[in-house]
Amino acid sequence: MVDFALTARESEWRKKAKAFVREHVIPRTDLDTHGSFPRDLYEKAFDEGFVTAMIPAELGGGGRTVFEVSLSAEEFGYGDLGVATSTFLLGLAAGGLVHFGTPEQKERWIKPLTSELRFASHAWTEPQGSANLLGQPATTTARPVEGGFLLNGIKSTISNATVASTFFVFARIESVPASESTPSPGSASSPGSASSPGSASGSGGLTCFIVPRSANGIETRSPYKKMGQRASDTGEITFRDVFVPKEDQLGRPGEGAVIAMRALRASRTGIAAMAVGVARRARDLVIQHGHSRVAGDGRKLIEQQDFRFHVAAMEADIEAARALTWRAAAELPDGPEATKLSSCAKLVSANMAVRTTNQAIEMLGGHGYLESSLAEKLFRDAKILQIYEGPQAIQKMMIADTVTRLSWIGR
Ligand SMILES: Cc1cc2nc3c(=O)[nH]c(=O)nc-3n(C[C@H](O)[C@H](O)[C@H](O)COP(=O)(O)OP(=O)(O)OC[C@H]3O[C@@H](n4cnc5c(N)ncnc54)[C@H](O)[C@@H]3O)c2cc1C
């Protein structure tokens, strides 16, 4: 039976996130500044359990379900999307390690991330592209050497790059010794693990490496001025002959795409939830405006049918996107339709958020277009929801890979 009622635990968690955002995020006026990275705010979010919410309790995390994390991500999205991105990024960065790591790797790499505020990065994208890494050879390489690998290459537009203590780096192994081909725990052949349409496998594919910032040969910088989400760090990482010991290879050689997809499907559901949050904020903004502004006929905007219908359409959009997001979150981590549904939720919710924030600008009139207007900030923040963790074409590819099969007909 379908039940949309939250449990007491879920309800409490959502209430806590709402209160946190109201008290610590919304009042901040410094979040939309280039290069702003409100560490003090992230410290508070860490102390309250949001940063590590998605890490299993036995590894020092909050042990929250994907559904619960989505509830809090929606509230953070209401407050500030940049803050939401950096707060919940650990789920993406360390998600592969949680599912594919050996017990020793989890102990060594996850525990430090949960004992105090530290950041981690999911380093997939390269200056040459992101989506194409599923088909083209990555330019970041791992050359096998005695005891491990030497990493070389550049990863660009990486969230938390300049603040992360740990990088999860996807690179192409130049050649693979035969002795490497033993299966890893949670590998693609295990029950319940992610299958990745279009994933590269074998020695020519991507492999995931865990690399500490302290490793010699790493350089990070933040060369970008972003359109929005300025409270989130986005940077570039250069690897020059960075030695990675063999034991810091995550999963099998060539298993990187599967590992990334496994982490992405939970994270994409979080993005969908954040999209619902920012759309709610835009809706509230126009309702507030409608109550205060009087039109030429002497009636308030909120009494005008056209204005009311726009608000109604926003509400219908928000409810639809949230229902799909909850459906996806309930399917994770291991439901048979988890990959498809997380892509559906991200696709629909991100488009909805951009549509809603765009509409809000218009409903606020000329003032909505001004730089000081909250509406234009929400729109700028929302735009990247359609792009990061895979643009629309990629989400459609993931969905089509499932539903265009002949076996899908009649379901
Ligand atoms: C603020 C920010 C934070 C980010 N954080 C991270 C991060 O933490 N880690 C990380 O690894 N990356 C991160 N990225 C990178 C982001 O995930 C990529 O920019 C995104 O996935 C798109 O990849 P791309 O830029 O290489 O564009 P491309 O892959 O080149 O795509 C560009 C356009 O080409 C089209 N396209 C691409 N492939 C196809 C196809 N097969 N069929 C049809 N059309 C296609 C799409 O329309 C797409 O919009 C971040 C980016 C930003 C801006």
Side-chain angles (χ1 to χ4, degrees), residues 77 80-82 227-229 271 274-279 282 346 349-358 374-388:
D80 183 279
L81 278 179
M227 177 177 171
Q229 297 213 8
I271 290 178
M274 283 156 50
V276 174
V278 74
K346 183 188 182 269
S349 300
N351 288 347
M352 180 280 297
V354 171
R355 197 163 56 239
T356 305
T357 53
N358 184 19
L374 175 60
E376 68 89 32
K377 174 195 180 286
L378 298 180
F379 177 71
R380 285 188 286 104
D381 283 352
K383 183 62 196 173
I384 190 65
L385 298 170
Q386 289 178 311
I387 302 168
Y388 63 12

Side-chain angles (χ1 to χ4, degrees), residues 331-347:
E331 188 78 0
L332 283 150
D334 292 320
E337 295 189 42
T339 301
K340 183 204 77 173
L341 283 170
S342 63
S343 284
C344 287
K346 183 188 182 269
L347 180 68

Side-chain angles (χ1 to χ4, degrees), residues 122 124-125 129-131 157-159 226 384 387-391 393 397:
H122 171 90
W124 171 282
T125 303
S130 167
T157 61
I158 304 301
S159 296
K226 301 202 296 277
I384 190 65
I387 302 168
Y388 63 12
E389 297 196 17
M397 275 166 59

Side-chain angles (χ1 to χ4, degrees), residues 25 62 155 165 183 188 200 233 253 261 278 313 319 328:
V25 182
K155 294 290 180 180
S165 65
D233 176 67
M261 292 310 143
V278 74
E319 286 285 0

